[in-house]
Amino acid sequence: MSEQSHFEELRDVNVWVSLTDSKLDIAWVISRVKSPKAGAVVLFAGTPCPTLTLAPSLIWLSGTTRDNFDGKPVTHLEYSSYAPLALKTMLSIAQSVKEKHALTAISMVHRLGVVPIEEESILIAVSAPHRQAAWKGGEEALELCKEKVEIWKLEEFGGDEGGVWRANQDGKGGVQVESLDASHHG
């Protein structure tokens, strides 16, 4: 039995942003930004893909969906958004970063739904004539996406602790799930 997947996208000239509930495809995101005009491609990914053959001009940044937060075990993350608004914000960020850093192209895709530990939740690929612009543009796109895009995550902890909903921002506090449930019933 195959699962139905959900995919939404907005685009502009050499700019692609999308939301999906499917596992993210690194090669697909890179293929969107590769160009004979670009001497460098930067990719931010949740975890490295050992089967991907990397070009010499590809700068690879790697992070991972951790199995812990603040000393607590995390079983998985679950991402949620209001897609029309999140996509508009992502498109605005991508257009702005592309212009500011004179990028050749940019592609951003964020996964929604349950994301198991060690799977990617976001991929951002940028290309530029020179590596400095690609590096700076890729980093800025990631930071702005985490700061501004209307995506929320549930960090589900093991044991009796439950989970915490938080904005998709590094180091920001969240709201304990039980607190939310209690406020809706009382």
Side-chain angles (χ1 to χ4, degrees):
M1 179 170 79
S2 68
E3 292 182 37
Q4 285 286 343
S5 64
H6 184 76
F7 177 83
E8 293 184 57
E9 180 176 67
L10 291 178
R11 62 179 81 175
D12 196 359
V13 177
N14 293 329
V15 175
W16 298 268
V17 298
S18 53
L19 297 170
T20 184
D21 61 4
S22 297
K23 191 170 183 174
L24 302 182
D25 183 341
I26 292 170
W28 177 77
V29 173
I30 291 172
S31 72
R32 293 183 140 199
V33 302
K34 286 178 87 173
S35 167
K37 294 176 174 40
V41 173
V42 169
L43 171 73
F44 174 85
T47 57
C49 177
T51 61
L52 182 65
T53 304
L54 302 179
S57 62
L58 180 69
I59 300 169
W60 179 267
L61 302 174
S62 176
T64 185
T65 303
R66 295 184 306 263
D67 65 358
N68 67 83
F69 177 77
D70 206 19
K72 301 175 204 161
V74 174
T75 61
H76 66 272
L77 301 178
E78 183 173 345
Y79 293 89
S80 180
S81 78
Y82 176 61
L85 186 56
L87 285 166
K88 279 183 165 179
T89 303
M90 289 172 72
L91 184 63
S92 175
I93 289 168
Q95 290 167 325
S96 173
V97 168
K98 180 178 176 266
E99 183 177 328
K100 177 179 178 181
H101 295 283
L103 302 176
T104 304
I106 181 170
S107 180
M108 299 169 40
V109 58
H110 202 296
R111 187 166 169 187
L112 300 177
V114 173
V115 180
I117 301 302
E118 294 186 1
E119 286 192 18
E120 298 87 8
S121 57
I122 187 169
L123 297 177
I124 298 174
V126 302
S127 61
H130 304 285
R131 70 180 176 272
Q132 277 296 344
W135 186 267
K136 289 177 182 175
E139 181 179 25
E140 184 172 331
L142 174 64
E143 295 306 324
L144 288 171
C145 188
K146 291 183 77 66
E147 179 185 331
K148 296 179 183 269
V149 177
E150 297 81 1
I151 294 176
W152 300 272
K153 68 180 172 183
L154 171 64
E155 287 182 328
E156 193 64 46
F157 301 113
D160 296 332
E161 190 157 352
V164 173
W165 278 104
R166 67 179 83 241
N168 191 23
Q169 299 173 355
D170 290 335
K172 301 289 182 183
V175 177
Q176 190 74 26
V177 172
E178 287 83 9
S179 300
L180 288 174
D181 291 341
S183 67
H184 288 179
H185 298 295

